Amino acid sequence: MNTRKQILVMSALLLMMLIITGIYGAWYPSRETDAQTEFDEATAKRAAILFARNCRLCHGDVGEGGALGARLAAAPGLDRADLQGFTDVKVKLSSNIDASTTSVPVNDGAKFKAAAVILVEDERMEVKKIDGNTLTVERGLHPTTASPHLADANVLLRDADALKDKTKLITNTITCGRVGTAMPIWGQSQGGTLSDEQIRQLMVLITQDRWDLVKEEVDVEDLVPSKLTQAMSDATISMFVTDVSLFTVKEAIRIGEERMRLTGVPDLPKDKNNQLPKDKSGVITVERGILKSAPQEHAVEEKIYRFPEAPEPSINASTCGQTAQAPAPAGTPGTIEPFTGQTIIVIAANIAFDKKELTAKTGSQIRLRLDNRDAATKHNVAVYKSSTDLTPASSGSVGLTFDGPGIDDTVFDAPAVGSYFFRCDVHPTIMTGTFTVTN
């Protein structure tokens, strides 16, 4: 090959290399984004298993919170927009939108920039362009789907600094737990069972709102391999199933949105080799609509799942250098008369307060009267700064612990205007409420 041909071949090869490099350079950012998405997806799937096995008995099967999930009432919901880094910028939709439009009318478009991620109800969107008060968006960002929204729906903005703060909060809370609450220590560095990587995985799950993956894992773990053989009305207490040997008296199960308690499970006869018969079908009796659910009709094809329940957890008394406040002192109950300030009466009965919200006015003294009607059961009422800061809201706002029946008065100066937390220190996860001080 002569020199001229060699030069032409080398030039052609060089040109091809430049073209390939240009194509790769143009494709690489997309490849990087796709790789990150795949990595986050794998991380969230691993976290879903961790959550299903460690966290849901307090926080609910899909992070909806203990009260909504029929679990530990004091456990907060984790499916909140603020934990995903979204902040309220006081913007609303100015008219209805359907699931297909990419033009979103708002009452203040100046609050947004191109590439911003917004949240309208349960749907994430990415802002592509702003024209006055109209946002051009990409709908249904992963893992959400596009859906219709009504006028006046709040439009939240995802903020990088807020997300960074929530990432730190979630990581620290899982690692150390929360002193004075039932939130235990999980970090191995503090004596718990989860590694730093596992805690990071749970943080990704929460900040990315991947409760769909948790639901899939929960259904896999709770599925009972026994089927209904007859449909159930909303009134029957008999459940006909293909295998009664898989159930235990007093355990809770769920079918659809209803939860039930098993009240009677037949004993199957065993042969001389201690083996159960091949036909394990039978009838189980159940209590319908337990744990904040309502009785419903159920078709034969509906699946049966267990609904595991956790015992009342212990309180985390010390963690990461923090120590819980000392328990309220015990004493003999007594009333304070005469009294000219504000009086608030709280009744304790059946291990519950009769009120979840108490209200007082600032600027005077408060007499907080606890009427303990639970015989031979200790209660008190104490007002703290918050559920995570167990500093008394005011000097003297922690009442005596005493056996019922009895009445005790606690008198203290009204704290500053704001929202505080009250509880029974003997039952700190189930007897709680909000104490609001107004002008």
Side-chain angles (χ1 to χ4, degrees):
M1 184 181 295
N2 60 37
T3 303
R4 182 178 181 184
K5 287 183 178 180
Q6 288 178 332
I7 292 173
L8 289 173
V9 170
M10 292 177 65
S11 298
L13 290 174
L14 180 59
L15 180 60
M16 289 178 62
M17 289 178 61
L18 290 173
I19 293 172
I20 292 171
T21 301
I23 293 173
Y24 182 80
W27 169 67
Y28 186 80
S30 174
R31 175 179 175 272
E32 184 180 21
T33 300
D34 291 344
Q36 184 63 49
T37 299
E38 291 177 6
F39 179 74
D40 288 344
E41 184 77 8
T43 297
K45 286 181 178 179
R46 289 191 289 269
I49 298 173
L50 287 171
F51 190 92
R53 295 178 181 176
N54 296 285
C55 312
R56 65 183 172 114
L57 294 192
C58 290
H59 291 281
D61 283 351
V62 287
E64 69 271 47
L68 291 177
R71 295 285 172 52
L72 182 65
L78 303 176
D79 59 346
R80 310 193 314 262
D82 67 296
L83 294 181
Q84 301 161 37
F86 288 99
T87 60
D88 188 355
V89 290
K90 308 301 181 185
V91 176
K92 295 180 180 292
L93 294 183
S94 55
S95 63
N96 300 344
I97 61 172
D98 60 28
S100 61
T101 184
T102 57
S103 295
V104 176
V106 296
N107 61 353
D108 188 356
K111 296 288 183 69
F112 306 100
K113 296 180 179 179
V117 176
I118 61 175
L119 182 72
V120 182
E121 296 177 315
D122 293 329
E123 182 187 351
R124 294 187 186 187
M125 309 176 192
E126 182 180 351
V127 178
K128 297 296 185 181
K129 187 173 65 174
I130 302 104
D131 183 8
N133 287 337
T134 300
L135 309 180
T136 300
V137 301
E138 178 184 346
R139 299 291 301 272
L141 291 188
H142 184 74
T144 67
T145 56
S147 59
H149 303 287
L150 298 177
D152 290 330
N154 287 328
V155 181
L156 306 183
L157 174 66
R158 197 171 201 187
D159 179 77
D161 290 335
L163 180 58
K164 184 177 180 180
D165 290 342
K166 295 303 180 183
T167 296
K168 184 183 295 184
L169 170 67
I170 294 167
T171 301
N172 290 343
T173 301
I174 299 174
T175 301
C176 290
R178 280 200 177 278
V179 68
T181 75
M183 178 65 183
I185 296 169
W186 287 104
Q188 288 179 351
S189 61
Q190 304 299 322
T193 59
L194 299 183
S195 67
D196 289 347
E197 172 58 20
Q198 289 173 316
I199 292 172
R200 187 192 71 81
Q201 291 167 5
L202 287 170
M203 179 274 297
V204 170
L205 172 82
I206 295 169
T207 57
Q208 294 193 357
D209 196 32
R210 295 313 309 272
W211 303 108
D212 56 320
L213 298 176
V214 178
K215 178 65 168 62
E216 292 176 6
E217 181 61 29
V218 165
D219 285 350
V220 169
E221 296 203 2
D222 291 350
L223 180 65
V224 181
S226 182
K227 300 179 180 180
L228 294 175
T229 58
Q230 291 188 22
M232 298 179 67
S233 72
D234 60 359
T236 182
I237 61 170
S238 298
M239 186 171 74
F240 293 78
V241 296
T242 57
D243 189 347
V244 298
S245 70
L246 299 174
F247 299 94
T248 305
V249 172
K250 295 185 179 180
E251 77 170 323
I253 62 170
R254 59 183 171 93
I255 304 177
E257 298 299 319
E258 181 186 357
R259 293 178 276 271
M260 310 176 197
R261 179 86 61 200
L262 306 188
T263 57
V265 178
D267 290 325
L268 295 176
K270 296 181 179 179
D271 62 20
K272 60 182 180 180
N273 296 319
N274 203 34
Q275 298 296 311
L276 293 173
K278 290 184 178 180
D279 182 6
K280 301 182 182 67
S281 62
V283 184
I284 295 172
T285 57
V286 296
E287 178 186 356
R288 303 296 301 273
I290 67 164
L291 299 172
K292 301 182 180 180
S293 67
Q296 299 175 347
E297 296 181 352
H298 300 292
V300 172
E301 59 269 18
E302 290 190 67
K303 295 179 180 179
I304 305 171
Y305 299 93
R306 301 191 192 283
F307 190 79
E309 300 173 274
E312 181 70 16
S314 59
I315 298 302
N316 185 350
S318 179
T319 176
C320 295
Q322 303 175 59
T323 303
Q325 296 288 326
T332 302
T335 58
I336 298 174
E337 300 289 356
F339 182 76
T340 58
Q342 308 168 73
T343 296
I344 301 173
I345 299 175
V346 181
I347 298 172
N350 300 316
I351 319 298
F353 286 133
D354 68 325
K355 301 179 182 70
K356 284 288 188 182
E357 297 182 2
L358 304 178
T359 303
K361 291 186 178 296
T362 191
S364 68
Q365 283 198 316
I366 297 170
R367 178 172 62 180
L368 187 53
R369 173 167 291 178
L370 175 63
D371 183 354
N372 181 359
R373 299 182 183 179
D374 282 335
T377 301
K378 293 185 183 297
H379 291 308
N380 83 320
V381 61
V383 184
Y384 296 110
K385 287 188 175 180
S386 72
S387 61
T388 56
D389 182 359
L390 298 180
T391 302
S394 181
S395 178
S397 65
V398 178
L400 293 175
T401 299
F402 62 97
D403 284 315
I407 297 176
D408 182 66
D409 285 346
T410 299
V411 173
F412 55 94
D413 291 333
V417 171
S419 181
Y420 301 88
F421 172 73
F422 76 91
R423 75 178 193 183
C424 167
D425 288 316
V426 184
H427 306 92
T429 62
I430 56 177
M431 297 179 68
T432 64
T434 301
F435 190 98
T436 302
V437 179
T438 63
N439 284 317

